[in-house]
């Protein structure tokens, strides 16, 4: 497990995580990197069972999610969510809870945490998604937990190829690629926003920075 680069891709529902994860892995493979995606098991579980899991079922799902990351055979492992999102959707964020502590301990083993921003339009896919208001609440809860646990993260904004490039920049840096002008721009933006919990403010600043870079 220790010789693999583990990337956690987190975010609320309908923020393009699955599309982004596969686009990132595909782009990495085209440049010679051995990369793969671990899918979101909670989503598959809900689709299979036709319901949301009960509280006593959540820990097993979270453990299975992380075991799938450990079992991944690729050099770069992109996790399309982690146990932390299971804990958030289960409303089990009390710090002494077994699921919460397991999720946090596991998240500390990842080399990079990416949070998918809220700038994509809401899409209802007929599963367990509750609506855009809940999406914003989940995003806020996620950021609060990451801040409380002092876990550094980067937010990914943009659409299409731009979103993919923005997510790939820190991954390529960890793989030893030379920093690009775009990555330096990301660093300046992240420095300004790393303590800001307002997604609207964050998106505004990022959009302004991207326009200046062009």
């Amino acid at each position: 497990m220790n010789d693999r680069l583990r990337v956690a891709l987190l975010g609320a529902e309908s923020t393009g995580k699955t599309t982004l994860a596969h686009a990132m892995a595909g782009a990495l493979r085209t440049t010679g990197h051995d990369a793969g995606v671990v899918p979101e098991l909670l989503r598959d579980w809900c689709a299979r069972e036709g319901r949301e899991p009960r509280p006593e079922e959540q820990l097993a799902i979270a453990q299975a999610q992380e075991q799938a990351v450990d079992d991944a055979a690729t050099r770069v492992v992109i996790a399309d969510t982690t146990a932390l999102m299971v804990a958030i959707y289960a409303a089990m964020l009390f710090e002494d809870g077994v699921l919460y502590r397991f999720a946090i301990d596991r998240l500390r083993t990842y080399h990079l945490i990416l949070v998918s921003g809220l700038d994509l339009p809401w899409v209802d896919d007929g599963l367990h998604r509750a609506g855009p208001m809940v999406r914003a609440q989940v995003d806020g809860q996620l950021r609060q937990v990451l801040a409380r646990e002092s876990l550094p993260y980067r937010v990914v904004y943009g659409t299409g190829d731009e979103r993919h490039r923005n997510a790939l920049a820190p991954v390529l840096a960890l793989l030893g690629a030379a920093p690009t002008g775009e990555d330096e721009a990301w660093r300046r933006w992240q420095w300004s926003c790393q303590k800001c919990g307002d997604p609207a403010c964050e998106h505004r600043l990022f959009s302004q920075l991207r326009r200046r870079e062009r």
Side-chain angles (χ1 to χ4, degrees), residues 142-151 153 194:
L142 171 59
R143 292 164 186 261
Q144 289 173 10
V145 169
L146 294 173
R148 182 171 69 201
E149 298 292 341
S150 299
L151 286 162
Y153 65 95
Q194 61 185 348

Side-chain angles (χ1 to χ4, degrees), residues 87-103:
I88 288 176
Y89 286 123
M92 293 183 177
L93 296 181
F94 37 93
E95 295 182 57
D96 60 345
V98 174
L99 174 53
Y100 179 85
R101 291 317 320 170
F102 170 75

Side-chain angles (χ1 to χ4, degrees), residues 4 32-33 51 58 76 88 104 113 115 125 131 145 149 153 161 166 168 170 174 188-189 209:
R4 295 174 187 154
H33 297 286
R51 62 176 177 86
Q58 302 280 359
V76 182
I88 288 176
I104 295 301
I113 301 172
V115 174
D125 65 358
V145 169
E149 298 292 341
Y153 65 95
D161 290 342
N166 294 337
L168 276 174
L174 288 174
R188 293 196 299 276
W189 167 77
L209 183 148

Side-chain angles (χ1 to χ4, degrees), residues 161-177:
D161 290 342
E162 181 186 41
R163 197 178 190 90
H164 306 158
R165 290 194 302 269
N166 294 337
L168 276 174
V171 179
L172 292 171
L174 288 174
L175 289 170

Side-chain angles (χ1 to χ4, degrees), residues 173 176-184 187:
T180 64
E182 183 172 272
D183 192 48
E184 289 301 321
R187 290 178 185 176

Side-chain angles (χ1 to χ4, degrees), residues 72-121:
T74 54
R75 169 69 178 85
V76 182
V77 181
I78 301 172
D80 180 9
T81 203
T82 73
L84 179 57
M85 297 310 302
V86 179
I88 288 176
Y89 286 123
M92 293 183 177
L93 296 181
F94 37 93
E95 295 182 57
D96 60 345
V98 174
L99 174 53
Y100 179 85
R101 291 317 320 170
F102 170 75
I104 295 301
D105 289 345
R106 283 292 310 191
L107 198 53
R108 295 192 192 283
T109 69
Y110 287 79
H111 300 89
L112 177 66
I113 301 172
L114 299 176
V115 174
S116 191
L118 298 181
D119 55 330
L120 295 182

